[in-house]
């Protein structure tokens, strides 16, 4: 199967690729240290492990699309969780399948007759993941969030709760992710799919640090299921859409740059609009704060002045013009603003203080993502690489978008 200049081998045995949402490599380090993830530890030892780079911004939608298309946002078009439509000037949520500009590995294999399973925790991702998938001959696509609403027409499967033997998981729970894995295991047992893409949610990682009791128990539960996938004969590949980092200061308050407020003051009210493209309908756990924002200026001549002002702010790591960010981070230029800004590892950038509801944090430390630092993600394959791919992997840092290629073409099986 050929897609975006990569040719993919037909799966020799079922491939289960799991995207551990927010699965920062630090959680694995803590898990290894505490000896609680024996299956992952075995994959790392017997198979392959590297810390790879995900796509920027280090958000959920862009990276899920990079993984399933094998390309960067420049090609697939999904460069955030929402953007400003240049014509209407209105914010547009980037989860619509019409915004995805590339075909996907899942879609192409399903159309060539493979049985493909795509399961995601949150339904917002499902339609994009499902784009181009042929569900008429055994392939399925659904979310655990809406597992009670599946139909043969829309999802290629029905009565999912009975099939999995579990109640509908809560939207904000570890179970929303574990249901994805359990459904994948059940499908592997009964339908023998060729390819499974299992995409989880970062609810636990947003709230709990690596090594905490809550994070560890989530990793213990995931690890058992990864072991089961392998036991059932699957090649298991694990990566993440993005990492996760602590963004609070010593007294537990989040380190926030209220960029809209500052720029209103320094460039004048109405001179710009700061967009935090991490925002989605589920802002509860991160207050819509992340490490990457776009700025849309009223007057293009404010670019230089705006950029100079932002560069001097404490906690800002880098400012780009739209053209430079598109080039450097492989983003689609027509979905950029005028400037793009990333924060450093310990800081987040918000718009206007009054627009961000931080009450959901309830005194907890802010953990979130979006910056260059959370683009570090694990890249794990349960089988050893063949000589060609081992050599390639040794020459540079891998990109998470290559994991399908490495899992399908690059192992010794
Ligand atoms: Zn995510």
């Amino acid at each position: 199967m050929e897609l975006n200049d990569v040719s993919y081998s037909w799966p020799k045995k079922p491939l289960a690729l799991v995207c551990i949402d927010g699965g920062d490599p630090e959680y694995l380090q803590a898990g290894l240290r505490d000896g609680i993830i024996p299956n992952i530890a075995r994959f790392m030892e017997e198979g392959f492990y590297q810390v790879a780079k995900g796509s920027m911004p280090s958000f959920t939608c862009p990276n899920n699309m990079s993984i399933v298309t094998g390309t960067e946002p420049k090609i697939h078009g999904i460069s955030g969780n929402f953007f400003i439509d240049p014509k209407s000037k209105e914010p547009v949520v980037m989860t619509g399948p019409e915004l995805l500009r590339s075909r996907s590995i899942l879609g192409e294999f399903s159309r060539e007759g493979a049985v493909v399973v795509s399961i995601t925790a949150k339904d917002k991702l499902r339609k994009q993941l499902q784009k181009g998938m042929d569900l008429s001959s055994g392939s399925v696509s659904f979310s655990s969030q809406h597992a009670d609403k599946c139909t043969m027409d829309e999802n290629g499967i029905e009565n999912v709760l009975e099939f999995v033997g579990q109640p509908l998981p809560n939207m904000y729970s570890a179970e929303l992710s574990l249901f994805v894995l359990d459904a994948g295991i059940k499908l592997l047992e009964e339908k023998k799919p060729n390819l499974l893409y299992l995409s989880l949610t970062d609810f636990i990682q947003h709230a709990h640090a690596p090594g905490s009791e809550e994070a560890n128990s989530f990793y213990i539960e995931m690890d058992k299921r990864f072991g089961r996938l392998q036991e059932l004969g699957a090649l298991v590949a694990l990566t993440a859409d993005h990492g996760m980092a602590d963004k609070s200061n010593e007294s537990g308050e989040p380190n926030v740059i209220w960029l809209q407020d500052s720029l209103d003051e320094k460039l004048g009210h109405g001179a710009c609009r700061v967009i935090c493209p991490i925002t989605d309908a589920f802002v509860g756990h991160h207050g819509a704060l992340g490490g990457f924002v776009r700025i849309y200026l009223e007057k293009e001549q404010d670019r230089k002045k705006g950029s100079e002002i932002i560069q001097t702010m404490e906690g800002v790591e880098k400012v780009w013009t739209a053209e430079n960010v598109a080039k450097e981070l492989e983003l689609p230029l027509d979905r950029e603003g005028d400037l793009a800004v990333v924060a450093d590892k310990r800081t987040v950038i918000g718009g206007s203080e009054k627009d961000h509801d931080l009450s959901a944090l309830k005194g907890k430390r802010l953990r979130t993502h979006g910056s260059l630092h959370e683009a570090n993600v694990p890249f794990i394959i349960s089988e050893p690489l063949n000589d060609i791919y081992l050599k390639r992997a040794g020459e540079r840092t891998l990109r998470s978008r290559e994991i399908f290629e490495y899992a399908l073409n690059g192992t010794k099986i």
Side-chain angles (χ1 to χ4, degrees):
M1 194 278 286
E2 293 270 334
L3 183 64
N4 296 318
D5 303 325
V6 181
S7 123
Y8 295 90
S9 306
W10 195 262
K12 291 174 201 75
K13 59 175 173 174
L15 165 61
L17 200 162
V18 184
C19 176
I20 306 172
D21 198 320
D24 198 280
E26 286 190 21
Y27 287 98
L28 297 177
Q29 284 159 21
L32 292 174
R33 189 189 58 221
D34 297 344
I36 55 162
I37 48 170
N39 293 301
I40 301 173
R42 191 181 60 252
F43 300 164
M44 288 170 152
E45 194 171 312
E46 294 174 1
F48 176 76
Y49 173 60
Q50 199 189 84
V51 175
K53 285 278 176 209
S55 297
M56 280 293 292
S58 49
F59 294 146
T60 301
C61 297
N63 276 285
N64 270 274
M65 293 311 127
S66 294
I67 293 166
V68 301
T69 63
T71 62
E72 289 298 316
K74 184 172 109 180
I75 306 293
H76 64 65
I78 306 303
S79 58
N81 294 349
F82 81 99
F83 76 117
I84 300 288
D85 182 82
K87 288 193 192 94
S88 69
K89 308 278 181 213
E90 290 299 317
V92 180
V93 178
M94 267 200 195
T95 50
E98 69 287 354
L99 295 170
L100 178 64
R101 291 169 171 162
S102 169
R103 292 174 297 145
S104 79
I105 296 162
L106 309 177
E108 294 306 289
F109 269 114
S110 79
R111 287 214 299 262
E112 291 192 20
V115 175
V116 177
V117 166
S118 168
I119 313 174
T120 170
K122 292 178 183 173
D123 203 65
K124 66 170 184 172
L125 261 180
R126 178 187 53 89
K127 283 194 177 159
Q128 236 165 34
L129 289 172
Q130 192 174 324
K131 187 178 183 180
M133 271 180 79
D134 174 3
L135 302 183
S136 68
S137 45
S139 291
V140 304
S141 166
F142 64 94
S143 67
S144 52
Q145 182 189 355
H146 289 172
D148 58 337
K149 299 188 180 79
C150 294
T151 63
M152 287 310 290
D153 262 7
E154 180 65 22
N155 309 97
I157 187 169
E158 55 193 2
N159 303 322
V160 171
L161 299 183
E162 280 168 39
F163 178 69
V164 181
Q166 290 178 21
L168 187 71
N170 187 293
M171 176 72 191
Y172 298 103
S173 69
E175 283 69 34
L176 196 73
S177 291
L178 299 177
F179 189 98
V180 171
L181 297 174
D182 287 335
I185 288 167
K186 188 79 180 165
L187 283 160
L188 189 57
E189 285 169 344
E190 307 224 337
K191 282 198 162 194
K192 297 269 169 283
N194 303 97
L195 218 65
L196 298 102
Y197 182 66
L198 308 171
S199 186
L200 313 182
T201 159
D202 56 11
F203 173 74
I204 292 293
Q205 291 89 340
H206 265 294
H208 303 287
S212 64
E213 201 186 321
E214 293 85 349
N216 277 359
S217 57
F218 182 52
Y219 272 76
I220 289 169
E221 290 304 316
M222 283 197 294
D223 184 77
K224 282 183 200 161
R225 288 157 176 86
F226 300 153
R228 179 67 183 146
L229 288 167
Q230 190 187 43
E231 198 177 85
L232 289 167
L235 172 70
V236 183
L238 309 171
T239 188
D241 53 349
H242 52 78
M244 191 69 72
D246 188 311
K247 309 289 183 181
S248 293
N249 61 21
E250 279 165 20
S251 53
E253 298 295 316
N255 296 313
V256 191
I257 298 169
W258 299 112
L259 194 55
Q260 184 75 59
D261 294 339
S262 293
L263 292 176
D264 281 351
E265 202 178 288
K266 287 168 181 145
L267 286 177
H269 273 268
C272 75
R273 193 164 167 195
V274 175
I275 297 297
C276 309
I278 191 173
T279 316
D280 56 25
F282 315 103
V283 296
H285 43 270
H286 50 66
L289 290 166
F292 178 98
V293 298
R294 295 194 170 95
I295 300 167
Y296 293 74
L297 293 162
E298 211 37 58
K299 291 184 256 161
E300 216 186 302
Q301 57 267 41
D302 275 345
R303 276 182 167 204
K304 190 159 181 286
K305 190 177 171 196
S307 162
E308 282 166 6
I309 293 169
I310 299 163
Q311 229 132 31
T312 61
M313 291 178 178
E314 200 188 323
V316 165
E317 187 158 303
K318 196 158 181 182
V319 188
W320 292 271
T321 59
E323 292 74 18
N324 288 341
V325 80
K327 201 171 151 199
E328 198 170 315
L329 301 184
E330 300 176 77
L331 292 164
L333 182 57
D334 62 330
R335 289 177 179 170
E336 285 303 310
D338 290 286
L339 298 171
V341 189
V342 282
D344 65 20
K345 192 169 186 198
R346 293 281 161 238
T347 309
V348 287
I349 308 174
S352 192
E353 189 168 6
K354 63 174 177 12
D355 296 334
H356 292 263
D357 180 9
L358 297 183
S359 61
L361 280 177
K362 294 186 198 93
K364 285 199 195 123
R365 299 179 70 82
L366 177 65
R367 301 179 54 75
T368 188
H369 52 95
S371 83
L372 294 163
H373 304 276
E374 294 87 38
N376 291 334
V377 292
F379 190 112
I380 300 171
I381 296 175
S382 62
E383 306 267 347
L385 296 186
N386 60 38
D387 293 343
I388 299 168
Y389 276 82
L390 194 61
K391 182 166 180 286
R392 279 176 56 180
E395 286 163 355
R396 62 185 172 84
T397 304
L398 295 178
R399 307 293 300 265
S400 57
R401 63 153 197 266
E402 298 174 292
I403 194 157
F404 264 115
E405 183 191 349
Y406 272 70
L408 290 171
N409 304 351
T411 69
K412 286 184 174 168
I413 58 164

